[in-house]
């Protein structure tokens, strides 16, 4: 019997909680997330990451996603590889084998993170209430990622399209993040800036 078969089923931090207000806020999960650190210009690293994710390697502050698969630029030497949770163990093993002998780190961080989706025409406005990042279309184009704060916690966010964003934070602050997202999305809190 494989090790994966002995593992208990993954559980999302907030059991896929959702809220409908100015936008729909939904906790996604469980999702597969793999930190990959190394030289992002290394051809072997790029080939390994793109083969596992099935998307192109993003550039500086980029988010390259297709469905549940993706690669998010996190820093000059780090990307976050996204995949369905059931594929994480295989993806980690594949990345490790492909990068054998290379200076790289591959770590499953799926259970350390929470992910929220925001959908609706006021997505930028809801996020602008919570982050110091420029949420204007010029400041955060679709497909560009920001590592920033969401109220008082660290977060990464990006717009998948003009009316849909995703936010990643630490699992330990998932309830707090959901609470501030709900507050910012309250139907009576619209500002109409964007």
């Amino acid at each position: 019997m494989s090790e994966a078969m002995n593992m208990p089923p993954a559980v999302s931090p907030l059991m896929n909680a959702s809220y409908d207000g100015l936008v729909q806020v939904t906790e996604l999960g469980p999702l597969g997330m793999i930190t990959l650190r190394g030289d992002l210009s290394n051809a072997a690293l790029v080939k390994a990451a793109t083969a596992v994710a099935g998307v192109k390697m993003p550039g500086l502050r980029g988010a390259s996603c297709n469905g549940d698969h993706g690669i998010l630029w996190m820093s000059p030497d780090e990307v976050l590889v996204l995949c369905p949770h059931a594929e994480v163990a295989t993806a980690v093993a594949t990345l490790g084998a492909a990068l054998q002998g290379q200076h790289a780190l591959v770590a499953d961080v799926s259970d350390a993170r929470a992910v929220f989706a925001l959908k609706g025409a006021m997505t930028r406005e809801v996020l602008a209430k919570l982050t110091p990042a420029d949420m204007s279309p010029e400041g955060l184009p679709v497909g560009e990622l920001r590592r920033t704060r969401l109220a008082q916690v660290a977060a990464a966010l990006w717009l998948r399209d003009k009316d849909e964003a995703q936010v990643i934070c630490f699992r330990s602050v998932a309830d707090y993040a959901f609470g501030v997202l709900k507050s910012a999305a309250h139907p009576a809190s619209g500002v109409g800036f964007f």
Side-chain angles (χ1 to χ4, degrees):
M1 186 178 290
S2 74
E3 183 178 317
M5 293 176 74
N6 290 326
M7 298 296 292
V11 177
S12 70
L14 303 177
M15 305 300 288
N16 303 106
S18 67
Y19 174 79
D20 286 318
L22 295 175
V23 299
Q24 182 181 43
V25 179
T26 306
E27 188 250 340
L28 304 177
L31 301 175
M33 292 175 264
I34 303 163
T35 291
L36 176 57
R37 295 195 79 139
D39 179 355
L40 301 184
S41 66
N42 178 314
L45 186 142
V46 171
K47 182 178 178 181
T50 57
V52 165
V55 298
K56 66 182 179 79
M57 182 68 100
L60 178 71
R61 294 188 311 267
S64 181
C65 298
N66 184 10
D68 290 341
H69 290 86
I71 303 174
L72 308 177
W73 183 94
M74 300 302 279
S75 74
D77 70 344
E78 178 185 359
V79 293
L80 188 65
V81 178
L82 307 176
C83 65
H85 197 274
E87 297 176 13
V88 170
T90 300
V92 167
T94 299
L95 286 167
L99 296 171
Q100 186 73 30
Q102 302 283 325
H103 180 71
L105 168 76
V106 178
D108 176 4
V109 296
S110 307
D111 294 337
R113 306 283 189 269
V115 182
F116 298 92
L118 283 72
K119 293 183 182 180
M122 298 186 82
T123 293
R124 284 184 189 275
E125 181 167 314
V126 168
L127 289 171
K129 295 177 191 178
L130 299 172
T131 178
D134 182 354
M135 292 305 301
S136 71
E138 301 78 27
L140 186 67
V142 171
E144 191 168 298
L145 179 131
R146 285 289 184 281
R147 289 182 80 169
T148 184
R149 286 189 334 266
L150 188 70
Q152 298 299 315
V153 297
L157 56 92
W158 72 101
L159 275 82
R160 292 184 69 115
D161 66 39
K162 69 179 187 67
D163 294 334
E164 181 181 355
Q166 287 191 341
V167 176
I168 296 177
C169 65
F170 289 109
R171 183 183 186 105
S172 60
V173 295
D175 189 54
Y176 172 82
F178 185 58
V180 296
L181 287 166
K182 287 190 322 184
S183 180
H186 189 279
S189 72
V191 177
F193 187 74
F194 294 112

